[in-house]
Amino acid sequence: MNGIANEPGGRLVHADDLAASAARPRALDEIYADELDVLRVQRAMDPAAIGAITSRLDALAPAAQWARPNRTMPIQDVQLLGADAPATPTYSAPRGVTLEAYLDSAQRHEGDLQRLFGPGFDLVGRIERTLALFAGGRPVRLARSADGRAYAPCTLRRMAPGTAIAIHHDYHYDLALYQELGPTLDRRTLVSYVFTLQRPESGGELDVYGVTPTTPDAPKLPNGFQWDAAAIEARYDRQRIDCDVGDLFLLAAGRCLHSVAKVEGSRPRITLGGFLAFDKAGDEVVYWS
Ligand SMILES: O=C(O)CCC(=O)C(=O)O
């Protein structure tokens, strides 16, 4: 582990651009081993195929279809397709939704995104094949409940100009929706996978900070649950990851505090993503959103 200038012994956020995934076939092991925090993979999906979808998105998915679990906090009003709520706290469900509500939503929205992408684009297959390139030979499988119901494989996320995602982590195995899945996973961390489908004119970059939820004195606001962005900016290293259409990042989202910069200009930022983890035995990669 390399140190960083303003936090001796602290974390180095490490970003790579890869033309060939062969260069990093064990990236997920590296993330789990705390040797790598974020990996950017350029052109993991074909930008032309993605552009064919994003250019028609407003017609294909009218505004009313997008879930807006943070609508009461306009600056963080990320819109979702593919599930009613993410597997994280939101402003409408600060402790996340129940497992039943989560699985109901996954069932109701099953196939929504595949229909949007059309028959020529095997969405789930592409995600699984891409993640497998970094999985050290492990199979990649969608999470399922004990009674066989599928979790949502991914969500499409639209951030309108003026919105941002505040500093947070995604280590949320204590939420009720993880009551079944959590104990089956290697919970040393949790990894976010995010493909960029549309880049805003400016802003919308991923910022990853050299501080974790367990760093002593990691700065919080007096309310005790929000991170103190000004203090974090002042005291810790920040790596800014700027993704182009088709790029993928894999991020140690359970470990690294991170945020998304405010989207600027007239074009929304559109991403497709979810989470993944090793199963407890370390034999498989399990993913969900
Ligand atoms: O949309 C993004 O780039 C990041 C979303 C996020 O915070 C995550 O996936 O952990």
Side-chain angles (χ1 to χ4, degrees):
M1 174 63 64
N2 293 288
I4 51 175
N6 57 352
E7 194 200 7
R11 311 185 52 74
L12 176 76
V13 176
H14 185 90
D16 277 351
D17 288 344
L18 293 188
S21 57
R24 221 78 195 219
R26 297 180 64 81
L28 296 178
D29 289 275
E30 292 179 66
I31 289 176
Y32 257 86
D34 207 349
E35 295 163 3
L36 177 71
D37 286 332
V38 60
L39 176 73
R40 175 163 65 115
V41 183
Q42 290 185 300
R43 299 174 68 90
M45 277 190 188
D46 173 20
I50 293 172
I53 293 149
T54 51
S55 61
R56 294 185 304 136
L57 196 56
D58 287 339
L60 294 171
Q65 286 182 11
W66 295 77
R68 294 173 58 193
N70 289 341
R71 72 160 71 220
T72 56
M73 182 55 76
I75 188 163
Q76 299 211 55
D77 184 12
V78 179
Q79 304 171 34
L80 297 178
L81 275 187
D84 297 331
T88 62
T90 61
Y91 280 87
S92 23
R95 294 288 304 149
V97 296
T98 64
L99 178 58
E100 270 311 304
Y102 173 86
L103 291 171
D104 278 354
S105 148
Q107 213 154 25
R108 254 181 291 115
H109 292 285
E110 197 169 355
D112 282 5
L113 296 185
Q114 181 58 64
R115 280 188 285 282
L116 202 66
F117 279 74
F121 195 105
D122 173 16
L123 180 61
V124 162
R126 282 190 194 214
I127 292 172
E128 291 184 358
R129 284 193 296 278
T130 306
L131 298 179
L133 297 173
F134 305 97
R138 296 173 185 82
V140 175
R141 74 165 174 85
L142 181 61
R144 287 193 177 269
S145 65
D147 59 7
R149 286 178 284 172
Y151 283 56
C154 53
T155 45
L156 199 62
R157 300 122 183 227
R158 177 161 69 187
M159 292 175 63
T163 60
I165 299 180
I167 296 179
H168 68 287
H169 63 80
D170 293 287
Y171 196 88
H172 292 308
Y173 293 124
D174 61 330
L175 296 181
L177 70 91
Y178 281 109
Q179 71 198 44
E180 245 186 47
L181 182 61
T184 70
L185 301 176
D186 177 343
R187 284 177 286 179
R188 280 178 292 159
T189 193
L190 170 153
V191 178
S192 270
Y193 74 88
V194 175
F195 294 90
T196 294
L197 302 193
Q198 180 168 283
R199 194 191 162 118
E201 278 143 21
S202 62
E205 302 92 346
L206 174 74
D207 286 331
V208 184
Y209 295 90
V211 56
T212 78
T214 54
T215 302
D217 300 323
K220 284 201 161 164
L221 293 176
N223 66 23
F225 59 88
Q226 281 168 308
W227 299 95
D228 182 342
I232 287 176
E233 285 282 347
R235 282 171 39 192
Y236 298 97
D237 184 49
R238 180 188 75 187
Q239 182 87 23
R240 179 156 274 199
I241 316 288
D242 190 10
C243 284
D244 218 333
V245 176
D247 293 357
L248 162 72
F249 70 74
L250 297 171
L251 165 69
R255 183 169 71 227
C256 301
L257 293 182
H258 58 282
S259 61
V260 176
K262 192 197 267 188
V263 172
E264 313 271 4
S266 60
R267 200 165 53 225
R269 173 190 197 261
I270 300 171
T271 54
L272 175 92
F275 299 112
L276 61 87
F278 291 156
D279 73 327
K280 214 164 194 166
D283 295 336
E284 294 179 319
V285 169
V286 181
Y287 75 103
W288 68 92
S289 185

